[in-house]
Amino acid sequence: MKNWLGRGIKLALLVLTVGSLTGCGGDEDAASPEGKDLTIGVTSFADTLEPTEQYFGWVVTRYGVGETLVKFDEEGKIVPSLAEEWDVSDDNLTWNFKIRPEVKFSNGTELTPEIVKASLERSFELNPRSETFFKLDSITVNGDTVSIKTAVSSAVVPGSLADPLFLIVDTTADTSKFASDGPICTGPYAVESFNPTVDCILVKNENYWDGEVPLERVTMKCIDDQAIRSMALQNGEIQVAYNLKTENAKEFEGNPEIKQQELDSLRSTYAFMNQNGPLKDLKLRQAMIRSLDRETYAEKLLQGGATPGKAPIPPTLDFGFDELVDENYFDPESAKELLAEAGYEDKDDDGFVEQPNGDPLDLEFVIYTSREELNVYAQAAQANLKDVGIKVTLNTVSYETAMDLRDSGSFDMLIWNVLVANTGDPENYLRDNWHSESPTNVNDYNNPKVDELIDQLTTTFDENERRDLDIEIQQLIMDDAATMFFGYETTYLFHTDQVKGIQLYPIDYYWLTKDVTFERE
């Protein structure tokens, strides 16, 4: 099957200059007591390093600790990692992965096909999200090969196994300590210490199988505030800053010591609309989406750092974005008309409509703090919705709390930002969010036709047929006004020119790799 990520992705590396700032190197010993260790500024994301919990395997992989059987390269293509090669049986049900020899975990334990099997089975046992990738029938070992048999044929098995949920851990180690001490994996770095919301300190994996590891120690320093994270890069406290935005580029203009990388987004920011409450009303959902001035959000509020949203899959991937018809484009007058037709009136003259049965309408909108643009979107949406008479109350929480609220369905709206092609293809993303039987679809969204098409997508290997199915699924979701799609943000990476070998990947599982070096002057 063709890998879609190579279509339309752009990566630009820019050298920025700002003479007015103090030198980015700062104090020679600012980064560490030895003055030689790399510090990377990140946002808080996990309160545990157990990779099977929620999406926290992403942290383990981004921090250079965890590895999977296959991975994505800088063009988004699937390439070997802990598996040297793979194939699929004639009936498309059994995938055979030949495990790479002479690989050791960071504790010295040899990587064996039996441990790979146990690790994958552990992921399926501990996280119900694993079932949204493919339906597992069995995992068996034959010599140096691990065979994965699916209950129904699935075109995305290799790409699915690149998701950090399926990173390979040493199951013979004390797995009860993974949450606090970090899992035992095969990556270039291992966890020395982990202090949630503060930092994660990594050290070289002396047993790494894929070449020399250049850095002795790396600190992942949690700095949630975007402005403070930017300042930390300016004053030399950190040498790399993730998740800065367009406005931060101005702070580094004219500074030859800072480099910027920029990648057209494969991420979508959207809001779940929980149909277990007032939002079961289609006309209310339509009115709300028509109230959102998404072009202003992207072009003005985010200063051009996003593309306005309308569909599940962003235009950076070739899945029919321009072909899709958006009946709920920005039209606040139409939104007011829909509300009136459905019986929503402001009966007490407080500026907000009541529900048709007379009950107050006050929608809770849950947002989390680790991405600054989410707050921008949410406040702008709250203002737009107020303009048409819909009251929205923001509830700002940590990412971990947002996950809990999402999984329990305890919200009216909940903002989310995800990678739409985490298997190299949007199938899992569509199933995860909009298939009625998905464990993570807690919004009571249920369209039997969408279920049918997603199930058909799973067993379809022809790339053109898959594209047609993706477009049809997206159109149905849009027609159902199932979700608010805010925008698709550009991804930025800022770092000092002393940091070499670091890059943005379309599939953003990889931050700290064996190729990252730090050449302190």
Side-chain angles (χ1 to χ4, degrees):
M1 185 185 67
K2 187 166 184 177
N3 190 297
W4 290 100
L5 295 183
R7 305 179 72 165
I9 299 175
K10 302 174 183 177
L11 178 64
L13 179 62
L14 307 175
V15 179
L16 304 181
T17 55
V18 202
S20 59
L21 295 176
T22 58
C24 291
D27 183 348
E28 281 297 304
D29 292 331
S32 70
E34 297 83 7
K36 63 181 181 180
D37 299 329
L38 181 66
T39 303
I40 300 176
V42 300
T43 55
S44 300
F45 182 70
D47 54 10
T48 168
L49 291 179
E50 169 53 61
T52 63
E53 187 170 337
Q54 297 183 355
Y55 289 81
F56 298 154
W58 287 50
V59 174
V60 179
T61 300
R62 284 173 166 175
Y63 290 7
V65 175
E67 294 181 315
T68 48
L69 292 183
V70 302
K71 64 181 181 180
F72 295 101
D73 67 12
E74 61 275 6
E75 296 180 353
K77 296 178 181 178
I78 300 171
V79 296
S81 184
L82 297 180
E84 289 185 307
E85 58 186 55
W86 58 93
D87 58 41
V88 64
S89 60
D90 292 340
D91 61 5
N92 291 327
L93 287 175
T94 302
W95 292 83
N96 305 300
F97 294 86
K98 183 180 178 182
I99 304 306
R100 188 180 298 277
E102 300 181 1
V103 174
K104 292 183 178 181
F105 290 97
S106 59
N107 62 356
T109 300
E110 181 183 358
L111 174 74
T112 64
E114 288 76 16
I115 291 180
V116 170
K117 173 180 182 291
S119 180
L120 294 174
E121 289 175 337
R122 182 175 187 267
S123 296
F124 274 95
E125 177 185 354
L126 296 180
N127 193 323
R129 188 169 64 88
S130 59
E131 299 178 0
T132 67
F133 289 90
F134 56 86
K135 297 295 183 182
L136 179 66
D137 180 88
S138 63
I139 304 178
T140 57
V141 172
N142 183 12
D144 61 1
T145 299
V146 174
S147 295
I148 298 174
K149 184 177 181 181
T150 57
V152 295
S153 60
S154 172
V156 297
V157 170
S160 296
L161 295 176
D163 188 284
L165 174 59
F166 298 109
L167 61 85
I168 304 302
V169 302
D170 180 7
T171 56
T172 68
D174 184 355
T175 59
S176 68
K177 295 183 178 180
F178 283 2
S180 59
D181 297 349
I184 305 300
C185 299
T186 60
Y189 294 92
V191 176
E192 180 179 79
S193 65
F194 174 59
N195 190 348
T197 74
V198 179
D199 59 30
C200 182
I201 298 177
L202 309 162
V203 293
K204 176 193 293 191
N205 175 7
E206 299 291 349
N207 295 305
Y208 189 54
W209 60 274
D210 192 22
E212 179 64 24
V213 180
L215 302 172
E216 294 293 331
R217 176 178 278 102
V218 179
T219 299
M220 295 291 183
K221 186 177 182 63
C222 294
I223 308 174
D224 282 340
D225 186 276
Q226 180 176 309
I228 296 176
R229 195 161 61 255
S230 176
M231 183 58 67
L233 181 60
Q234 295 174 46
N235 65 26
E237 180 183 350
I238 63 176
Q239 291 79 49
V240 181
Y242 275 95
N243 290 333
L244 294 182
K245 300 302 174 186
T246 308
E247 57 267 29
N248 299 116
K250 298 177 181 179
E251 301 166 3
F252 300 107
E253 287 178 354
N255 189 337
E257 297 180 347
I258 294 294
K259 289 187 175 181
Q260 172 192 332
Q261 296 184 36
E262 178 180 323
L263 184 68
D264 287 349
S265 184
L266 297 184
R267 286 185 162 273
S268 176
T269 297
Y270 53 95
F272 296 111
M273 303 177 78
N274 193 342
Q275 296 183 33
N276 286 304
L279 293 175
K280 63 181 177 292
D281 186 340
L282 172 61
K283 286 193 173 182
L284 175 58
R285 299 197 306 274
Q286 290 174 323
M288 293 177 67
I289 296 174
R290 294 182 189 189
S291 304
L292 306 179
D293 187 0
R294 289 166 284 183
E295 185 170 341
T296 293
Y297 303 169
E299 297 302 323
K300 295 184 179 179
L301 299 183
L302 295 179
Q303 301 182 36
T307 300
K310 77 170 186 181
I313 302 173
T316 42
L317 293 175
D318 183 19
F319 289 98
F321 187 84
D322 293 333
E323 302 170 37
L324 295 164
V325 178
D326 184 10
E327 294 183 350
N328 296 311
Y329 57 86
F330 179 53
D331 188 349
E333 292 307 313
S334 172
K336 293 177 183 177
E337 292 172 4
L338 279 173
L339 291 172
E341 290 171 8
Y344 293 86
E345 298 180 51
D346 180 10
K347 297 179 180 179
D348 56 6
D349 294 324
D350 67 348
F352 297 106
V353 298
E354 280 75 44
Q355 298 182 58
N357 63 6
D359 289 344
L361 180 66
D362 186 354
L363 301 172
E364 181 191 33
F365 191 1
V366 175
I367 62 175
Y368 56 94
T369 55
S370 60
R371 303 184 74 95
E372 183 66 28
E373 68 271 21
L374 306 187
N375 186 51
V376 173
Y377 283 133
Q379 291 193 36
Q382 182 186 44
N384 278 162
L385 290 165
K386 179 180 179 180
D387 290 341
V388 300
I390 298 174
K391 186 176 183 180
V392 171
T393 299
L394 302 183
N395 179 15
T396 302
V397 300
S398 68
Y399 174 81
E400 295 83 2
T401 299
M403 283 287 296
D404 292 338
L405 293 173
R406 187 201 70 162
D407 293 345
S408 65
S410 303
F411 61 89
D412 292 312
M413 296 180 292
L414 186 145
I415 205 161
W416 210 238
N417 176 284
V418 298
L419 187 66
V420 304
N422 60 330
T423 66
D425 180 282
E427 179 194 322
N428 175 255
Y429 160 70
L430 295 172
R431 177 179 293 278
D432 211 24
N433 289 289
W434 295 287
H435 195 290
S436 66
E437 295 182 1
S438 168
T440 51
N441 174 8
V442 296
N443 311 294
D444 205 29
Y445 174 69
N446 187 343
N447 184 326
K449 184 63 176 177
V450 169
D451 288 355
E452 175 189 335
L453 293 175
I454 292 177
D455 289 340
Q456 185 179 341
L457 180 64
T458 297
T459 59
T460 299
F461 280 64
D462 181 86
E463 63 185 55
N464 292 320
E465 292 179 17
R466 289 180 67 84
R467 181 181 185 277
D468 291 342
L469 287 168
D470 281 311
I471 293 172
E472 188 174 355
I473 291 165
Q474 290 183 86
Q475 190 64 67
L476 289 169
I477 293 169
M478 292 169 65
D479 292 346
D480 289 337
T483 307
M484 290 179 169
F485 296 102
F486 289 112
Y488 321 106
E489 295 76 42
T490 302
T491 300
Y492 296 95
L493 168 63
F494 294 82
H495 61 89
T496 71
D497 62 357
Q498 296 170 321
V499 178
K500 312 292 184 182
I502 194 167
Q503 68 179 95
L504 287 172
Y505 287 79
I507 306 295
D508 60 348
Y509 298 155
Y510 318 111
W511 288 2
L512 178 62
T513 69
K514 70 179 181 64
D515 299 317
V516 177
T517 63
F518 181 32
E519 302 174 0
R520 183 178 286 275
E521 296 176 355

